[in-house]
Amino acid sequence: MSLMGQMMNMPLMISSLLTHAARHNGDVEIVSKRVEGDMHHTTWSEVELRSRKLAQALARLGCQAGDRVGTLAWNGYRHLEIYYGSSGSELVCHTVNPRLFPQQIAWIINDAQDKVLFVDINLLPLVEKLITSLPKVEAVILMAGREHMPRETSIPKLLCYEDLIEAEDGQYSWPSFDENTAACICYTSGTTGNPKGAVYSHRSTVLHAFAAAIPEGMCLHATDTVLPVVPMFHVNAWGIPYVAALIGCKLVFPGHHLDGASLFNLFEQEQVTISAGVPTIWLGLLNHVKQNNLKFSSFRSTIIGGAACPPTMIRAFENDYNVEVIHAWGMTELSPIGTLGRLKAKHKDLPLVQKQKILEKQGKSVYGIDMRIVDAEGQVLPWDGKASGDLEVRGHWVISSYFNVDKSPLHDGWFPTGDVATIDSDGYMQITDRSKDVIKSGGEWISSIDLENVAMGHPAVHEAAVIAAHHPKWDERPLLVVVKKPDAQVTREELLAFYDGKIPKWQVPDDVVFVTEIPHTATGKIYKLGLREQFKDHTLPTS
Ligand code: ADP
């Protein structure tokens, strides 16, 4: 008969991250560039107290265990208080992406049945427009002081955040309950069909925070200052609000100004050491520092993920600015971290170029996530760095089902990610494509990411996207869509010649089109579906 362990069994509670931060690093700062326009300074202990008051206020508004609390907000300290005040009191924090189409926002809020909705002041007009299509929302709370309350509004019950906090005494103890209770809901972007809700538990969120914090993860220290550029409505800012509390480091929130100049100034002013975000955001920052001949004085490391990070971007950060890039892969269904690009001991003495090649991949599984690749018949493929197949994952923070959807998304106990990848013998995973973006040319698959990475290496290219264009013989052939750098000159022929020797000849794009802008999704990724639609009638010169 097995002998049971004789250790305390304390449920993993999200509130414990915050109480730990308040008790052990209570005086550490949380700085926010507010939507109101000014800078705001608070501390972990102040946030903990105000989160308790918020929990009291939510109860007073009639919120009960399991009720969903929606947010339409940028990165800021009040949003952090809502994260903890709601989840900590057994409510479910539901962050909504304000950049989605209004109809999608309404659909998501209704699907989650949000009972109350928190909103930043510059997003109030959006909610005023939508409110009649949100029958379940009983109250909207403006995340500001009384002086910002509008005189008139179409919202039947609009409350003031600071008034709610002020009315409470904070005499509240964080409850303890089943660690498998829902803590947050995040919706996938819904690029195909309606968005789907991923429901994270307290347990999955705390375990994810542990895994993200370790040196093989984000490697945060109490001495760091972390600025999540990734929005708090995009998979909980990749868990940074939780990791920062666990570590007890300083947090800086950028509000809604994410352009290169605003970010650079904030990085310098607050001496940011670590950041995280999607590649598009870094294009803006790198351009700004380059054009103005600037240098970072404190920035040491950034996590780039959400879309493939072009090798040229890694090089620019590392060689020109001495900022380490950690390439990461994840998704909403994983809350989100799956793999991170980190070297092994045996790589220590490799020449720089070989180390760089390894770090360009999406990386190794963090402990807690298991992965495999399978072929079209579901047969498991080898880890040889060559065989490419559908990437499947399982682990402590991988969804087992979607909210309000009966059909299981799992295949044989694994979650199919929709990504196509290779895994090498050292366990480094490399995404070749999203299965819907891969270019199927006469039975062979061409990775759009590979072709984009080459184009991004050309000095005249600001941004590049490769999509499948219809071809009468090959079915699909790659079409390169390019935004040139300001004042740069480059021709179609020069760009095509740039592929020579870098990839097999048959993979070279059939054509190039120059555009002034490439469309992006609400999470800042290249909107391939939109591009394919835009160029669906494009006639390739080879056809
Ligand atoms: P959406 O893109 O639909 O908003 P997610 O944010 O959950 O939803 O995106 C997850 C997807 O983003 C992954 O399945 C993968 O296709 C892509 N992705 C994330 N990180 C990377 C990366 N480092 N390289 C390539 N693709 C990535």
Side-chain angles (χ1 to χ4, degrees):
M1 205 164 73
S2 52
L3 174 65
M4 298 310 287
Q6 296 174 11
M7 308 306 283
M8 291 186 188
N9 190 357
M10 292 168 68
L12 300 171
M13 293 280 99
I14 283 181
S15 57
S16 70
L17 296 167
L18 184 61
T19 51
H20 175 83
R23 182 163 307 141
H24 301 281
N25 296 288
D27 56 350
V28 173
E29 260 196 316
I30 292 161
V31 182
S32 308
K33 175 125 181 79
R34 289 206 285 201
V35 181
E36 293 96 306
D38 58 350
M39 294 301 295
H40 176 273
H41 295 253
T42 180
T43 59
W44 280 113
S45 75
E46 183 71 11
V47 164
E48 198 269 337
L49 173 62
R50 283 170 50 97
S51 301
R52 267 187 278 137
K53 290 185 177 184
L54 185 64
Q56 291 178 303
L58 284 165
R60 202 177 295 281
L61 288 174
C63 290
Q64 292 174 357
D67 280 345
R68 269 75 74 192
V69 169
T71 69
L72 269 169
W74 311 104
N75 291 7
Y77 68 103
R78 291 192 186 103
H79 208 169
L80 186 69
E81 292 163 359
I82 300 165
Y83 265 44
Y84 284 104
S86 59
S87 300
S89 61
E90 220 174 333
L91 306 175
V92 185
C93 182
H94 173 212
T95 50
V96 186
N97 184 341
R99 296 204 189 102
L100 293 169
F101 294 122
Q103 308 91 294
Q104 259 181 331
I105 294 178
W107 190 93
I108 288 175
I109 292 174
N110 290 333
D111 190 61
Q113 304 201 335
D114 294 342
K115 184 161 173 144
V116 295
L117 182 61
F118 287 87
V119 58
D120 260 333
I121 50 174
N122 64 348
L123 295 168
L124 187 62
L126 173 69
V127 177
E128 286 177 327
K129 252 186 249 146
L130 286 179
I131 194 71
T132 52
S133 46
L134 306 174
K136 297 278 184 213
V137 172
E138 291 176 12
V140 175
I141 300 144
L142 190 70
M143 293 162 67
R146 203 172 308 159
E147 65 282 13
H148 291 281
M149 292 299 283
R151 276 213 200 97
E152 285 180 14
T153 177
S154 58
I155 298 169
K157 189 170 180 186
L158 181 69
L159 306 171
C160 167
Y161 187 96
E162 291 303 328
D163 279 357
L164 289 183
I165 298 275
E166 208 172 287
E168 303 298 337
D169 58 11
Q171 297 297 314
Y172 177 87
S173 307
W174 296 112
S176 186
F177 41 88
D178 185 338
E179 63 183 16
N180 291 300
T181 305
C184 323
I185 304 189
C186 293
Y187 278 72
T188 59
S189 72
T191 26
T192 48
N194 272 332
K196 294 191 281 293
V199 187
Y200 313 145
S201 64
H202 282 256
R203 174 187 161 81
S204 73
T205 306
V206 173
L207 290 176
H208 179 272
F210 271 119
I214 61 169
E216 285 298 289
M218 294 181 178
C219 190
L220 282 181
H221 296 283
T223 48
D224 274 313
T225 295
V226 57
L227 184 154
V229 180
V230 52
M232 292 171 83
F233 54 75
H234 189 198
V235 213
N236 290 345
W238 300 351
I240 290 173
Y242 307 113
V243 182
L246 184 152
I247 297 289
C249 64
K250 175 175 162 183
L251 257 175
V252 180
F253 289 122
H256 66 302
H257 291 296
L258 303 181
D259 59 286
S262 307
L263 283 179
F264 180 80
N265 293 339
L266 195 55
F267 273 64
E268 286 306 300
Q269 194 180 312
E270 295 302 327
Q271 290 289 288
V272 171
T273 57
I274 294 201
S275 189
V278 295
T280 327
I281 222 69
W282 303 119
L283 273 183
L285 181 66
L286 282 173
N287 270 355
H288 175 76
V289 285
K290 195 158 186 197
Q291 274 164 14
N292 298 284
N293 236 334
L294 302 165
K295 288 272 177 227
F296 298 102
S297 61
S298 54
F299 194 16
R300 72 164 175 87
S301 171
T302 184
I303 297 126
I304 304 188
C309 177
T312 41
M313 181 174 283
I314 305 184
R315 288 301 87 72
F317 266 120
E318 299 197 339
N319 301 349
D320 305 344
Y321 301 101
N322 209 16
V323 176
E324 175 199 34
V325 170
I326 298 145
H327 195 188
W329 169 87
M331 59 197 308
T332 306
E333 288 87 339
L334 276 71
S335 77
I337 295 175
T339 65
L340 287 144
R342 292 281 187 192
L343 292 179
K344 296 187 175 187
K346 66 175 179 186
H347 299 138
K348 246 187 1 225
D349 300 323
L350 285 180
L352 183 66
V353 187
Q354 283 181 42
K355 281 189 198 166
Q356 288 176 334
K357 270 268 159 276
I358 296 169
L359 293 176
E360 283 167 11
K361 297 190 174 189
Q362 275 74 7
K364 303 179 281 165
S365 276
V366 288
Y367 167 75
I369 294 289
D370 200 3
M371 60 182 177
R372 68 177 190 181
I373 42 174
V374 298
D375 67 13
E377 280 76 49
Q379 295 298 315
V380 178
L381 294 168
W383 289 21
D384 60 7
K386 292 192 193 82
S388 99
D390 295 316
L391 177 67
E392 300 190 333
V393 291
R394 63 180 182 192
H396 304 298
W397 49 89
V398 178
I399 61 155
S400 59
S401 56
Y402 287 104
F403 186 61
N404 276 345
V405 179
D406 289 336
K407 192 170 175 288
S408 169
L410 304 189
H411 164 233
D412 185 26
W414 293 72
F415 176 73
T417 63
D419 287 326
V420 182
T422 60
I423 307 175
D424 67 22
S425 53
D426 282 325
Y428 288 85
M429 187 273 285
Q430 183 162 31
I431 300 275
T432 3
D433 234 321
R434 271 193 171 193
S435 50
K436 51 188 181 291
D437 294 339
V438 79
I439 296 145
K440 300 188 179 90
S441 169
E444 293 290 340
W445 286 15
I446 302 176
S447 154
S448 65
I449 296 177
D450 283 352
L451 302 187
E452 285 159 8
N453 284 347
V454 173
M456 288 298 286
H458 193 286
V461 173
H462 169 69
E463 196 170 20
V466 173
I467 51 165
H470 176 70
H471 191 283
K473 178 164 175 206
W474 303 111
D475 205 18
E476 291 179 358
R477 287 294 301 160
L479 169 67
L480 171 62
V481 184
V482 164
V483 180
K484 283 189 256 189
K485 284 197 180 141
D487 306 326
Q489 295 299 326
V490 66
T491 64
R492 170 186 182 278
E493 287 66 32
E494 282 164 348
L495 275 181
L496 293 181
F498 191 65
Y499 280 94
D500 272 356
K502 298 191 177 80
I503 48 152
K505 240 186 164 48
W506 62 272
Q507 296 191 359
V508 175
D510 282 26
D511 203 4
V512 183
V513 285
F514 294 100
V515 293
T516 48
E517 204 184 342
I518 284 177
H520 291 97
T521 67
T523 49
K525 307 180 193 191
I526 293 176
Y527 183 41
K528 296 250 173 118
L529 199 71
L531 268 184
R532 283 199 290 269
E533 185 59 29
Q534 192 178 337
F535 291 102
K536 71 175 190 300
D537 297 325
H538 185 81
T539 313
L540 294 170
T542 47
S543 65

